[in-house]
Amino acid sequence: LALTDFIREGHYDRHLRRMRRHYRHRRELLHRELHHHLDGVLDVSLPEAGMHLVGWLPPGKDDRRAAALADAVGITVAPVSAFSLEPLPRGGLIFGFAGIDEEEIRVGVRKLAAALDQF
């Protein structure tokens, strides 16, 4: 009954609107930071929704190696190739941003840029 009241009174809708704004802000921040610090290394488009971004590497660059370099500096990203049964024409990295705050995004992207500099 409490859940029914919560929904009927509009609290759930307000919560969803607040969370959409919150995650949209983080998504846009991550996109800006990646573009600023890794332009030329990653091609990142800004999706309309979701809690992940994909950064595509230049052709011939191994996304598993890039993910390992990121992991070595404490940044967790998933290589796109890990989700494909067939070889891809281009590797990429999947960035989740839901569980990290804005400062972690800024610091993490700078650490990633330094790690991928040797890539």
Side-chain angles (χ1 to χ4, degrees):
L1 294 176
L3 180 58
T4 301
D5 289 342
F6 185 77
I7 293 170
R8 281 188 185 151
E9 292 170 9
H11 301 294
Y12 185 64
D13 285 337
R14 278 191 300 281
H15 171 73
L16 288 178
R17 282 191 301 275
R18 187 173 62 247
M19 291 296 97
R20 284 183 183 129
R21 280 191 308 271
H22 176 75
Y23 291 123
R24 180 176 46 243
H25 178 73
R26 282 189 185 175
R27 182 178 62 241
E28 291 170 354
L29 172 63
L30 177 58
H31 180 260
R32 276 193 316 271
E33 290 294 310
L34 288 170
H35 182 72
H36 178 73
H37 293 284
L38 287 157
D39 192 37
V41 177
L42 291 175
D43 178 17
V44 184
S45 60
L46 186 62
E48 290 185 33
M51 295 183 179
H52 294 84
L53 292 179
V54 175
W56 295 101
L57 293 161
K61 295 291 185 178
D62 181 5
D63 59 357
R64 291 175 192 258
R65 174 150 161 58
L69 290 170
D71 189 55
V73 296
I75 306 299
T76 303
V77 293
V80 172
S81 64
F83 300 95
S84 177
L85 297 175
E86 301 292 325
L88 298 171
R90 196 171 172 192
L93 300 174
I94 301 172
F95 297 88
F97 54 83
I100 55 175
D101 65 33
E102 293 175 18
E103 186 59 22
E104 288 175 300
I105 289 172
R106 289 182 185 96
V107 170
V109 170
R110 286 192 299 267
K111 287 169 66 175
L112 178 65
L116 293 184
D117 190 43
Q118 57 185 295
F119 184 58

